[in-house]
Amino acid sequence: MKFINIGFGNMVASDRVITIVSPDSAPIKRLIQDAKDAGRVIDVSCGRRTRAVIITDSEHVILSAIQAETIANRLDSEIDGEDIEE
C-alpha cells in the first residue's frame, strides 16, 4: 500500500483516493457539510484554510491545507514510480 503526504505529516492511502477537488464551489461545500453531519469528515488542515478536498472510496471527506494540484502531482508521481518498479 502506497501513501501520499497531504500536509503536516498526514498521509492517505493512494489507492483509496477517488477524487481531489477545490473547495470553492457550492456543490463541494454542500458535500462537506453533509459529510460533517454524517461524521465522515477528516480535517487535517491544522486550522489553516482548506485548499483541497479529498474524497475516498469509503465516502470519507478529507480536508487539506495543501493545494489540490500539489496533491494530484504527488499522487501522479507515486503512480509513475510504481509503474517503474514493476
Side-chain angles (χ1 to χ4, degrees):
M1 183 181 307
K2 302 288 184 175
F3 290 90
I4 56 169
N5 185 345
I6 57 171
F8 304 106
N10 298 296
M11 309 289 241
V12 67
S14 60
D15 58 341
R16 302 293 302 261
V17 174
I18 298 296
T19 188
I20 305 167
V21 294
S22 172
D24 299 331
S25 70
I28 298 301
K29 289 178 182 177
R30 275 193 303 267
L31 183 132
I32 293 168
Q33 188 57 52
D34 291 346
K36 280 183 182 177
D37 294 343
R40 292 182 285 113
V41 168
I42 303 169
D43 188 354
V44 297
S45 63
C46 294
R48 292 183 170 79
R49 179 175 171 241
T50 299
R51 295 180 182 266
V53 178
I54 303 165
I55 301 170
T56 66
D57 60 354
S58 62
E59 296 184 3
H60 282 85
V61 176
I62 304 169
L63 309 178
S64 176
I66 305 296
Q67 288 284 352
E69 186 175 348
T70 303
I71 296 171
N73 288 339
R74 290 176 184 175
L75 183 61
D76 190 39
S77 68
E78 183 69 36
I79 292 169
D80 289 344
E82 188 175 288
D83 290 339
I84 292 170
E85 292 175 13
E86 293 178 357

